Amino acid sequence: DTAVSQTPKYLVTQMGNDKSIKCEQNLGHDTMYWYKQDSKKFLKIMFSYNNKELIINETVPNRFSPKSPDKAHLNLHINSLELGDSAVYFCASSQGQGSTNEKLFFGSGTQLSVL
Amino acid sequence: RKEVEQDPGPFNVPEGATVAFNCTYSNSASQSFFWYRQDCRKEPKLLMSVYSSGNEDGRFTAQLNRASQYISLLIRDSKLSDSATYLCVVNIRGGAGTALIFGKGTTLSVSS
């Protein structure tokens, strides 16, 4: 069983479209995240949710809207896609906050290509 | 100053070599430190946590110097399978919680 699973693995779409990426974790973790890895391989945090509540939003454009229906799921919806949104998006989870609880477990990533 | 800085490399070493990576962080309040490993086109995976007293896991040794805000990773007896990007990770406080911030990574290539 995959611990953190995200779908789809690949997403190719046109500029201006709206798309969603889904993420689920079966580790019983309280905290989930979205990270973006750009073409220069820099992994940057976008959002963090703890028990369905948004706790970190790192100056991400409001075209990106995370949704956490329960603590095992954190989906990412992106409106009006732009060329610069092309990247690999990683979902991750951790047991909680603070020192030993913060170890991250990542999904396998969603490669988004905006044409 | 960037939050987490690493020498991007690449480090090209022969099998059996010892190689060391360094990382500096800007937030003196950071409390958690890790090294992650990322293979090409894969997700990052935890290599080891970094503790104040330094810690070792097989061929890997991690050190933390809080006064200098500096973390290191030493790999002894390098194997071909160690070829990957090594990411220095530090926690910072943001919003209502904390988050792990990644350095840009140091690329290691081990050759036979």
Side-chain angles (χ1 to χ4, degrees):
Chain A
D1 257 357
T2 306
V4 182
S5 59
Q6 54 181 109
T7 55
K9 191 167 176 62
Y10 299 98
L11 187 51
V12 181
T13 188
Q14 300 283 337
M15 257 178 19
N17 284 351
D18 303 338
K19 290 292 177 187
S20 292
I21 308 172
K22 295 186 175 182
C23 180
E24 175 181 5
Q25 53 95 3
N26 63 6
L27 296 166
H29 287 169
D30 285 338
T31 310
M32 295 185 74
Y33 310 80
W34 279 107
Y35 281 82
K36 176 181 178 180
Q37 189 166 43
D38 59 26
S39 57
K40 294 181 180 173
K41 307 299 181 192
F42 183 33
L43 196 63
K44 189 171 179 183
I45 189 164
M46 300 173 69
F47 300 103
S48 169
Y49 270 72
N50 188 55
N51 225 343
K52 303 193 298 173
E53 285 192 36
L54 178 68
I55 54 172
I56 288 176
N57 178 344
E58 283 290 304
T59 59
V60 177
N62 57 15
R63 296 184 297 104
F64 291 78
S65 49
K67 292 255 185 329
S68 183
D70 55 63
K71 73 173 193 177
H73 294 84
L74 181 62
N75 303 323
L76 184 65
H77 188 76
I78 316 170
N79 288 329
S80 303
L81 279 154
E82 299 178 357
L83 293 176
D85 297 332
S86 296
V88 181
Y89 292 83
F90 286 103
C91 176
S93 72
S94 67
Q95 193 173 357
Q97 299 270 286
S99 61
T100 57
N101 287 337
E102 269 181 314
K103 294 174 189 175
L104 289 174
F105 294 81
F106 282 88
S108 57
T110 296
Q111 181 151 356
L112 171 64
S113 299
V114 182
L115 307 176
Chain B
R1 183 179 172 186
K2 294 195 178 81
E3 288 171 311
V4 182
E5 289 203 66
Q6 297 181 246
D7 179 347
F11 284 62
N12 298 307
V13 303
E15 273 185 292
T18 295
V19 61
F21 304 139
N22 301 321
C23 167
T24 56
Y25 60 95
S26 60
N27 191 327
S28 58
S30 294
Q31 294 294 321
S32 306
F33 309 92
F34 306 91
W35 284 100
Y36 277 71
R37 170 193 168 130
Q38 187 173 24
D39 293 286
C40 191
R41 300 183 184 280
K42 299 281 191 183
E43 72 273 22
K45 291 186 177 173
L46 178 67
L47 179 66
M48 58 197 300
S49 303
V50 185
Y51 301 120
S52 298
S53 52
N55 49 297
E56 191 174 301
D57 183 0
R59 297 181 293 108
F60 299 84
T61 301
Q63 298 274 357
L64 168 64
N65 183 324
R66 284 186 188 271
S68 303
Q69 294 179 206
Y70 165 99
I71 304 160
S72 66
L73 176 68
L74 183 79
I75 306 176
R76 289 182 299 280
D77 188 23
S78 299
K79 312 286 184 200
L80 294 176
S81 57
D82 293 334
S83 298
T85 297
Y86 290 83
L87 302 162
C88 176
V89 185
V90 174
N91 82 331
I92 62 158
R93 180 159 293 277
T98 62
L100 293 185
I101 302 300
F102 286 72
K104 291 192 176 184
T106 299
T107 301
L108 171 66
S109 177
V110 182
S111 55
S112 56

